[in-house]
């Protein structure tokens, strides 16, 4: 297939996901990118503690901020453009990364099929998230001087790896085994490669990122260093939940691969059995094992952290499928393709379109409320912290408050309880303390239906105007529906 045709397929799939994927995945999609960009471009936007502490690089939000500022300059800053524009930009980058993946796999049809059907990549490929790093990582993999790739040893990937590492230092976990592999197979002298390439490129990228971040933060700061300090030394990640050590193996990794896990396991067996003829695949498998091992040591685990491993796993499985398909009958081919396709459409549809969509859908009515009467609108979100986006989706400077869940910075040992936990331990007490009877109440309270009976006191002064479906699997703090409750009278 021609590159252009393949790129068109990928663009269609990724752009479709912009509009089909309508659910909430993780708060960072909004709070670590769009919200920050909105603040830079429009002067209001909530900065989470990560930004106040300076553990994040501004590189990614600045891309969207440029886009937002352009819209502002053209007086074209429609909220829907602010919401969908960044996702379209991300989708285009993801589509380009898909093309790179295809070329990396040796231009095989199964490569197109595997990456285009992968449910988790469909689910995340147009989100403003670690998706950016996954796309860059895939582009770097395609530029990497793999064994047998030809005479010219292309070293451009080192630039991308350096950029990835300053954006999120954990990228080094995936890339250090690959860089070691590069040093093992390179035609250059190792010492000269390190001295003339690795070190200078790292220093240039690091200096540029320090400059960018220091300018954005307004003072000298090395964000990767602050990131490591907070996450490893102070272990703040654990505040956001911890899973057992085997979680990535038992749940995380199989889940993100979905049904592609089966060909991946078969491919792994083949690679291990014939390891002498698959040096590249073996290095990639080693990378997967190494990354999963290191990540398993960190108590805070999330599906999305594994995203950059997805293209690596799909590379291994799609090459296996290509070899297998040469000998397979047509019936077998179509059966396997159909099973893989259906096995991916299921989770894509349910998780992308049904599960957890209320907290995004609620932003539409809230925006209308805010536009209608910005002065008298005062939103209170009584939900787990960062359950919804905020100003990037409202695009109106109204007063809004939500329950925060900041980690314990003072290291006061013992009984630190964040605001959301305080609220949930006794909602009515928290409300009486924060909204005394003689003070003004918020104009709108946004909460899950499961909370409503627990705050019936204050609810007697509100009427529910919207009931928006959210999930079929409620938990103690997340209900079936999201409610908008409007204050009655003044
Ligand atoms: C947004 O509203 C807050 C509070 O009313 C105000 O202090 C701030 O200046 C406003 N920002 C902009 C850019 O309008």
């Amino acid at each position: 297939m021609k590159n252009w045709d393949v790129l068109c397929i990928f663009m269609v799939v990724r752009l479709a996901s912009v509009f089909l994927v309508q659910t909430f995945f993780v708060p960072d999609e909004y709070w670590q990118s769009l919200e920050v960009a909105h603040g830079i471009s429009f002067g209001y936007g909530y900065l989470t503690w990560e930004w106040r502490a300076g553990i994040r690089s501004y590189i990614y939000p600045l891309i969207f901020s440029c886009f937002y500022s352009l819209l502002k300059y053209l007086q074209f800053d429609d909220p829907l453009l602010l919401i969908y524009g960044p996702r379209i930009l991300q989708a285009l980058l993801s589509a380009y990364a898909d093309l790179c993946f295809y070329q990396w796999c040796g231009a095989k049809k199964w490569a197109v099929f595997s990456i285009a059907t992968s449910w988790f990549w469909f689910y995340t490929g147009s989100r403003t998230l670690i998706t950016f790093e996954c796309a860059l990582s895939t582009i770097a993999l395609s530029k990497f001087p793999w064994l047998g790739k030809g005479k010219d040893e292309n070293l451009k990937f080192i630039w991308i790896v350096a950029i990835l590492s300053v954006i999120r230092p954990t990228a080094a976990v995936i890339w250090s085994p690959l860089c070691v592999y590069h040093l093992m197979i390179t035609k250059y002298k190792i010492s000269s490669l390190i001295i003339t390439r690795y070190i200078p490129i790292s220093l240039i990228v690091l200096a540029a990122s320090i400059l960018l971040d220091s300018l954005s933060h307004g003072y000298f700061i090395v964000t990767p260093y602050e990131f490591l300090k907070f996450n490893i030394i102070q272990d703040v990640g654990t505040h956001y939940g911890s899973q057992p050590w085997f979680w990535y193996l038992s749940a995380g990794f199989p889940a993100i691969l979905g049904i592609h896990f089966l060909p991946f396991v078969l491919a792994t067996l083949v690679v291990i059995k014939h390891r002498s003829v698959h040096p590249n695949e073996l290095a990639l498998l080693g990378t997967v094992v190494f990354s999963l091992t290191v990540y398993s040591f960190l108590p805070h685990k999330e599906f999305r952290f594994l995203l950059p491993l997805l293209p690596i796993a799909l590379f291994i499985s799609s090459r296996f499928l290509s070899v297998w398909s040469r000998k397979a009958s047509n019936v077998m081919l179509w059966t396997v393709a159909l099973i893989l396709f259906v096995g991916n459409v299921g989770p894509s549809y349910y998780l992308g379109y049904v599960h957890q969509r209320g907290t995004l859908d609620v932003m539409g009515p809230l925006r209308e409320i805010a536009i209608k009467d910005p002065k008298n609108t005062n939103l209170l979100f009584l939900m787990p912290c960062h359950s919804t986006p905020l100003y990037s989706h409202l695009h109106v400077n109204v007063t809004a408050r939500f329950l925060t869940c900041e980690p314990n910075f003072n290291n006061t040992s013992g009984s630190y309880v964040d605001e959301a936990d305080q609220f949930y331990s006794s909602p009515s007490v928290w409300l009486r303390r924060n909204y005394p009877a003689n003070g003004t109440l918020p104009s709108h309270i946004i909460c899950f239906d499961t909370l409503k009976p627990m705050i019936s006191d204050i609810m007697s002064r509100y009427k529910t105007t919207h009931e928006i479906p959210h999930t079929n699997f409620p938990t103690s703090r997340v209900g079936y529906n999201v409610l908008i409750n409007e204050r009655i009278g003044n």
Side-chain angles (χ1 to χ4, degrees):
M1 283 198 269
K2 285 208 196 72
N3 278 345
W4 180 246
D5 297 342
V6 174
L7 184 62
C8 281
I9 295 175
F10 289 139
M11 294 230 278
V12 168
V13 176
R14 297 296 153 234
L15 288 175
S17 81
V18 172
F19 301 98
L20 293 176
V21 175
Q22 293 285 341
T23 52
F24 188 95
F25 178 31
V26 285
D28 283 22
E29 182 176 354
Y30 316 99
W31 296 89
Q32 308 292 5
S33 57
L34 302 188
E35 192 68 18
V36 180
H38 195 277
I40 300 171
S41 297
F42 297 103
Y44 59 101
Y46 185 94
L47 285 188
T48 60
W49 68 267
E50 284 98 332
W51 296 91
R52 284 179 264 132
I55 70 166
R56 298 280 176 158
S57 163
Y58 267 98
I59 295 173
Y60 193 44
L62 278 176
I63 297 172
F64 298 129
S65 173
C66 290
F67 173 72
Y68 282 176
S69 295
L70 180 71
L71 291 181
K72 183 183 173 190
Y73 174 74
L74 299 173
Q75 299 197 328
F76 220 59
D77 52 331
D78 183 85
L80 289 182
L81 269 178
L82 300 189
I83 295 168
Y84 284 105
R87 290 195 60 191
I88 291 173
L89 291 178
Q90 178 59 59
L92 294 177
L93 178 68
S94 298
Y96 175 69
D98 290 347
L99 177 67
C100 291
F101 175 83
Y102 167 74
Q103 291 165 339
W104 174 38
C105 292
K108 298 286 195 313
K109 283 199 190 87
W110 279 100
V112 179
F113 183 81
S114 299
I115 197 97
T117 57
S118 164
W119 84 268
F120 195 63
W121 190 225
F122 188 79
Y123 183 68
T124 52
S126 62
R127 293 181 187 271
T128 47
L129 203 63
I130 192 175
T131 313
F132 179 66
E133 286 125 277
C134 178
L136 286 190
S137 191
T138 309
I139 296 169
L141 286 168
S142 76
K143 308 271 181 246
F144 191 90
W146 299 103
L147 267 186
K149 200 178 168 187
K151 281 204 239 34
D152 295 331
E153 190 170 325
N154 190 331
L155 298 173
K156 277 190 218 129
F157 80 96
I158 303 175
W159 286 97
I160 306 180
V161 173
I163 294 170
L164 284 170
S165 306
V166 296
I167 296 181
R168 194 184 300 255
T170 46
V173 176
I174 292 179
W175 275 95
S176 46
L178 290 172
C179 288
V180 169
Y181 180 60
H182 175 222
L183 295 179
M184 283 163 60
I185 62 175
T186 182
K187 294 195 296 287
Y188 297 101
K189 234 177 104 193
I190 294 180
S191 55
S192 74
L193 196 58
I194 292 178
I195 294 168
T196 64
R197 298 299 161 102
Y198 275 92
I199 293 178
I201 291 175
S202 307
L203 289 179
I204 292 169
V205 170
L206 185 64
S209 81
I210 292 175
L211 187 68
L212 198 70
D213 281 328
S214 298
L215 286 175
S216 307
H217 279 284
Y219 50 92
F220 177 80
I221 192 160
V222 182
T223 53
Y225 169 74
E226 300 292 328
F227 178 89
L228 291 177
K229 201 172 78 184
F230 267 93
N231 278 290
I232 294 175
I233 304 171
Q234 302 203 359
D235 192 25
V236 291
T238 313
H239 177 72
Y240 295 104
S242 56
Q243 279 79 22
W245 66 268
F246 52 82
W247 186 84
Y248 279 132
L249 297 177
S250 64
F253 193 57
I256 69 157
L257 273 178
I259 194 157
H260 284 297
F261 190 63
L262 297 178
F264 173 73
V265 169
L266 295 176
T268 301
L269 297 177
V270 171
V271 169
I272 292 173
K273 193 160 160 221
H274 305 283
R275 51 192 168 278
S276 55
V277 291
H278 294 293
N280 294 333
E281 277 95 336
L282 203 62
L284 288 164
L285 273 180
T287 301
V288 171
V289 171
F290 178 78
S291 307
L292 287 177
T293 308
V294 173
Y295 284 163
S296 294
F297 276 105
L298 307 174
H300 181 66
K301 302 182 175 66
E302 289 189 40
F303 291 110
R304 64 186 164 120
F305 295 155
L306 299 183
L307 188 57
L309 293 180
L310 183 66
I312 295 179
L314 290 179
F315 173 88
I316 294 170
S317 70
S318 72
R319 284 173 68 95
F320 164 79
L321 285 169
S322 299
V323 172
W324 165 81
S325 66
R326 273 185 234 136
K327 280 180 265 159
S329 69
N330 259 340
V331 177
M332 274 306 279
L333 269 181
W334 282 99
T335 313
V336 168
L338 191 71
I339 292 173
L340 287 176
F341 181 72
V342 173
N344 278 292
V345 168
S348 301
Y349 166 73
Y350 187 75
L351 295 169
Y353 198 73
V354 180
H355 182 62
Q356 294 184 0
R357 64 173 295 151
T359 48
L360 280 189
D361 286 345
V362 74
M363 298 315 285
L366 287 180
R367 189 164 57 238
E368 281 165 30
I369 291 167
I371 289 171
K372 213 185 277 168
D373 189 4
K375 285 227 165 53
N376 295 314
T377 303
N378 181 341
L379 307 175
L380 173 62
F381 294 84
L382 292 180
M383 318 173 117
C385 60
H386 309 296
S387 284
T388 64
L390 197 59
Y391 293 112
S392 63
H393 282 49
L394 290 175
H395 196 45
V396 188
N397 188 12
V398 291
T399 313
R401 178 175 182 184
F402 59 88
L403 303 170
T404 58
C405 51
E406 302 191 346
N408 181 7
F409 294 119
N410 305 324
N411 269 333
T412 42
S413 53
S415 60
Y416 172 78
V417 183
D418 70 33
E419 189 179 27
D421 286 338
Q422 281 175 29
F423 170 79
Y424 279 105
S425 70
S426 179
S428 48
V429 171
W430 187 92
L431 281 169
R432 268 201 299 279
R433 197 175 332 127
N434 285 273
Y435 295 91
N438 49 4
T440 42
L441 289 174
S443 69
H444 295 81
I445 292 181
I446 300 95
C447 66
F448 287 109
D449 48 9
T450 38
L451 183 73
K452 199 175 165 186
M454 289 186 252
I455 55 172
S456 51
D457 255 11
I458 201 170
M459 274 300 136
S460 63
R461 302 193 49 192
Y462 286 80
K463 66 169 192 287
T464 301
T465 53
H466 295 75
E467 188 165 336
I468 300 163
H470 182 64
T471 177
N472 297 315
F473 298 96
T475 59
S476 62
R477 295 183 184 184
V478 177
Y480 292 100
N481 298 303
V482 179
L483 309 180
I484 301 180
N485 307 287
E486 191 184 63
R487 196 179 58 219
I488 307 167
N490 289 306

